[in-house]
Amino acid sequence: MTIISNIWLNLLSVVGTFIIIYMVFIIIFYSIMLIISLFHLRKEFQLDDQEPYEELLTLNYTKPISILVPAYNESIGINGSIRSLLGIEYPEFEVIVINDGSTDDTLEKLKTSFNLIKLNKVIRKQISTKEIEAVYQSSIYPNLYVVDKVNGGKADALNAGINFSQYPYFCSMDGDSILERDAFLKVMKPIIESDDEIIASGGSIRIANGCEIESGEIVKIRLSQRPLVVLQIIEYLRAFLMGRVGLSRHNLLLIVSGAFGVFSKHWVVQAGGYSHTVGEDMELVVRLHRMIKERKLNKKIVYVPDPVCWTEAPESITYLRRQRSRWHRGLFESLWTHRQLFFNPKYGSIGFVSMPYFIFIEFLGPVIELLGYLFMVISLFIGGIYIEYAILIFLISILYGSIFSMAAVLLEEWSLRKFPRVKDVIILFLFSLTESLWYRPLTVLWRCEGIFHLIIRKKGWGEMIRKGVSNDHA
């Protein structure tokens, strides 16, 4: 028994040491990302950015854009979202709503609200999709179209929208999202100025729960009173302002959010459109990177921090758990589909930096963190030197979680300043201190649950109930 006990204790020591080394490495990595983001954001916002964006409204080389809105049972918030899109500041655009076989009154609400008239139009099928049942155009807004099709999932709906679109760039958006009026000017600016070098550009996603929204426009930015939502806001700030800014700086970005991203239609069609995976947005970006490297093209995919899209976040643990589990499954599907990129010299920094980052930090990170939590619990019963291990892991987890979240809140206030009330910034700052104590362990469990679902081959999105981000539901 003594030999077995010694082996067990030695194994525990090895596990504890590994967890500590891993978490220290993560802290160093994110510290570097924070520094890169800090300098990049200050460099961007030292400029007077109002005049350049207004100038884009009159330039004849500003590229027209098709806005694709896949909608499946989005009756609650669809009208507010569409009105938000129709009111954007941009010279030339079309809004294409793809009703993906909704079983609620989404289509009827669109017909009534926007006076839709049926069109007889042949659609060029560049990408294979489910059958199109009807196409409508608004008699009130000539640049608003609705494509009604057989249900095929979000990727299929987006592919149908690409087939129908007439402009060289398209934006994929969620049906429950609200755009700031100048968001497209900002997200398109690097594309316009790059002379086609940039083939995709993504903006920031913020949480609209708690904000006052009228006629599809943000009237007042306010925090939700629900702690679960506030912690999601902090999580989004950290992911976008620290993670994506740092990766985008060196063309290492593998994710452009499906809620707000602009793509060159030519290159997306060349890549085969969206795939039928849980994480179709990430998989497309990885495939574009892969195509760029294989064809030895000088193309970039970037993240632009300032253009903001506001979207609804889950307010209950049940739906947030489903979302995070699904996201983790989608992450694995994208990484597994393109596993040949991993440490492959042919793909340069994507193979040697981006893929290892998403595999070892984003995908396997929750497993290591869960081991850390289990180690701390076991150490309380064993005692001795293992208590010191547990304390060290706990302190590192606080630094890893809460401190970086606090830094993201300060970075937001220092650069973008989307939250006008000092009270809101203070609340975000204080909540970020508590993240490692309850919210982060929950997300770790949910992401590990996603890995378990992969093992048992669970499919599908899972039901998500929305309240609608806009008060304009009529």
Side-chain angles (χ1 to χ4, degrees), residues 8-9 12 374-384 386-387 390:
W8 165 248
L9 293 175
L12 201 60
L374 293 174
F375 183 93
M376 285 189 283
V377 172
I378 292 171
S379 297
L380 293 176
F381 293 96
I382 296 176
Y386 299 100
I387 293 291

Side-chain angles (χ1 to χ4, degrees), residues 224-261:
S224 171
Q225 296 182 353
R226 296 176 179 268
L228 196 66
V229 175
V230 175
L231 265 297
Q232 288 178 75
I233 292 172
I234 294 168
E235 186 181 25
Y236 275 49
L237 289 176
R238 188 177 65 240
F240 281 92
L241 293 184
M242 286 177 55
R244 298 194 186 182
V245 169
L247 292 171
S248 173
R249 187 76 175 81
H250 300 284
N251 199 26
L252 298 170
L253 190 65
L254 294 189
I255 297 178
V256 171
S257 175
F260 184 36

Side-chain angles (χ1 to χ4, degrees), residues 47-60:
L47 303 174
D48 180 10
D49 59 359
Q50 186 63 34
E51 186 176 338
Y53 295 124
E54 288 183 351
E55 188 182 33
L56 287 177
L57 285 168
T58 59
L59 293 177
N60 57 12

